[in-house]
């Protein structure tokens, strides 16, 4: 069954921008938890577990309060989507503990590029010159951010690059899932399955968090749930070519948080690499919006960044 939502571009812009505020805050919390800022650093698997655990609690509360009825899910698509999402988030949390938030966030914007590349063999999509050019420009930006020269090379940035690739694969599952289920149901199953996967994965490395770490984990999961809700509802209320660019604000907020929390100031290399990636992602979103018809609610039409 298809579901439609009234179009409201100003509200869409506000929701996507708010999602960006929340997403950037989750990366800041992940960095604090993955370093010694709040105590003994937690393993990325444990940070990811906290993200899914508390997000699941928040979304389940919304399901109960709204008396939302869950219907028959597309189990294979949900499992594939959630497995990729869990792995992508875990790799991203591992990356932000070692490289500037601006670098990790900019590299994460490559996920629609990887989704485009994967859609060729997996969905049989054809890619024109504009989209190839946008992908090439974005990948060039990633190479700049890796700083592949001498002592400046950032091997841990490869974790963020891997995260973008895995999340790109997740977008393939989301495209197949789009329009088949209501957004709240998609969010609930995503976080429920993610919590199960993360719980099993964290057992070998779990350690007792400090009270401050528990608070940060709870805040991380809550903010991620809010980001997902804002993002999906924002994308449902406007074309991707209009809404997606507002997600680029994530990079601005991530840089601001990194400066306020850790005193990190983006350098010229970060600005150049991020600029190339964002330009490529913007062109890709623009072409996607021009070439494809309006899709049902909950369909991420090649978004620049997906929480």
């Amino acid at each position: 069954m298809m579901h439609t939502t009234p179009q409201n571009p100003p509200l869409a812009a506000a929701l996507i921008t708010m999602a960006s505020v929340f997403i950037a805050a989750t990366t800041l919390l992940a960095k604090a938890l993955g370093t010694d800022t709040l105590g003994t650093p937690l393993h990325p698997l444990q940070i990811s577990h906290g993200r899914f655990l508390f997000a699941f609690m928040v979304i389940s509360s919304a399901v109960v309060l709204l008396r939302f009825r869950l219907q028959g899910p597309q189990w294979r698509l949900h499992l594939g989507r959630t497995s990729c999402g869990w792995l992508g988030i875990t790799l991203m949390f591992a990356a932000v503990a070692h490289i500037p938030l601006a670098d990790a966030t900019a590299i994460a914007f490559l996920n629609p590029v990887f989704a485009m590349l994967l859609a060729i063999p997996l969905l049989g999509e054809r890619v024109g010159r504009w989209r190839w050019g946008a992908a090439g420009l974005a990948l060039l930006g990633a190479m700049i951010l890796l700083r592949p020269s001498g002592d400046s090379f950032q091997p841990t940035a490869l974790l963020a690059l891997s995260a973008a690739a895995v999340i790109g694969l997740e977008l393939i599952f989301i495209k197949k899932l789009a329009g088949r289920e209501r957004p709240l149901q998609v969010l609930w199953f995503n976080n429920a399955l993610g919590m199960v996967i993360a719980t099993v994965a964290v057992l070998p490395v779990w350690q007792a968090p400090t009270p401050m770490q528990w608070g940060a984990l709870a805040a991380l999961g809550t903010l991620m749930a809010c980001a997902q809700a804002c993002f999906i509802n924002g994308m449902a209320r406007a074309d991707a070519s209009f809404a997606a660019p507002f997600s680029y604000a994530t990079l601005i907020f991530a840089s601001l948080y990194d400066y306020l929390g850790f005193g990190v100031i983006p350098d010229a290399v970060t600005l150049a690499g991020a600029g190339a990636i964002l330009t490529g992602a913007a062109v890709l979103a623009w072409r996607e919006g021009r070439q494809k018809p309006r899709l049902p609610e909950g369909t991420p039409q090649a978004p620049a960044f997906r929480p």
Side-chain angles (χ1 to χ4, degrees):
M1 179 179 178
M2 298 297 184
H3 304 277
T4 59
T5 297
Q7 298 299 281
N8 189 333
L11 178 58
L15 288 170
I16 297 294
T17 302
M18 186 57 65
S20 298
V21 173
F22 294 148
I23 294 168
T26 64
T27 58
L28 176 68
L29 289 170
K31 183 168 186 173
L33 288 163
T35 59
D36 58 3
T37 304
L38 301 177
T40 303
L42 297 182
H43 194 281
L45 288 172
Q46 187 162 358
I47 301 173
S48 180
H49 173 260
R51 169 257 183 270
F52 279 101
L53 172 64
F54 288 103
F56 172 74
M57 293 171 62
V58 170
I59 294 172
S60 293
S61 298
V63 168
V64 172
L65 291 174
L66 296 174
R67 297 182 179 180
F68 185 84
R69 296 186 63 181
L70 299 171
Q71 300 174 344
Q74 302 285 324
W75 284 110
R76 286 188 176 183
L77 296 180
H78 278 295
L79 185 57
R81 178 259 173 102
T82 300
S83 297
C84 292
W86 163 78
L87 180 58
I89 286 291
T90 302
L91 290 170
M92 185 68 172
F93 288 166
V96 298
H98 303 286
I99 64 175
L101 293 184
D103 287 21
T105 302
I107 293 173
F109 276 99
L110 285 170
N111 69 72
V113 175
F114 284 111
M116 184 202 81
L117 297 175
L118 291 168
I120 298 173
L122 297 179
L123 299 179
E125 292 188 3
R126 298 181 61 182
V127 177
R129 289 177 296 177
W130 275 91
R131 294 172 74 189
W132 276 120
L137 181 60
L139 290 172
L140 174 61
M143 294 303 101
I144 294 174
L145 288 178
L146 289 175
R147 294 171 168 81
S149 61
D151 296 334
S152 64
F153 176 61
Q154 297 187 114
T156 48
L158 293 174
L159 293 172
L161 189 63
S162 299
V166 174
I167 294 174
L169 179 57
E170 183 190 8
L171 286 177
I172 299 297
F173 284 103
I174 292 176
K175 283 188 176 184
K176 291 186 175 183
L177 189 62
R180 302 187 184 188
E181 299 177 24
R182 288 176 290 179
L184 184 55
Q185 174 164 315
V186 172
L187 286 181
W188 189 87
F189 277 105
N190 173 234
N191 286 278
L193 291 173
M195 182 186 65
V196 173
I197 295 172
T199 298
V200 174
V202 77
L203 292 177
V205 298
W206 193 87
Q207 66 185 58
T210 65
M212 290 186 65
Q213 287 174 330
W214 272 120
L217 288 169
L220 193 159
T222 300
L223 289 172
M224 186 62 79
C226 293
Q228 289 180 313
C230 288
F231 186 86
I232 286 182
N233 281 285
M235 292 299 293
R237 284 168 170 77
D239 290 332
S241 56
F242 172 84
F246 289 95
S247 65
Y248 303 154
T250 305
L251 183 59
I252 298 174
F253 291 115
S255 300
L256 176 62
Y257 295 159
D258 211 12
Y259 171 71
L260 295 176
F262 298 94
V264 177
I265 301 176
D267 58 17
V269 175
T270 293
L271 295 177
I277 290 175
L278 295 186
T279 300
V283 172
L284 186 59
W286 172 70
R287 288 298 291 179
E288 193 82 1
R290 283 176 59 89
Q291 291 186 338
K292 292 190 175 182
R294 179 69 199 159
L295 296 179
E297 175 183 355
T299 305
Q301 306 168 68
F305 187 75
R306 194 209 61 78

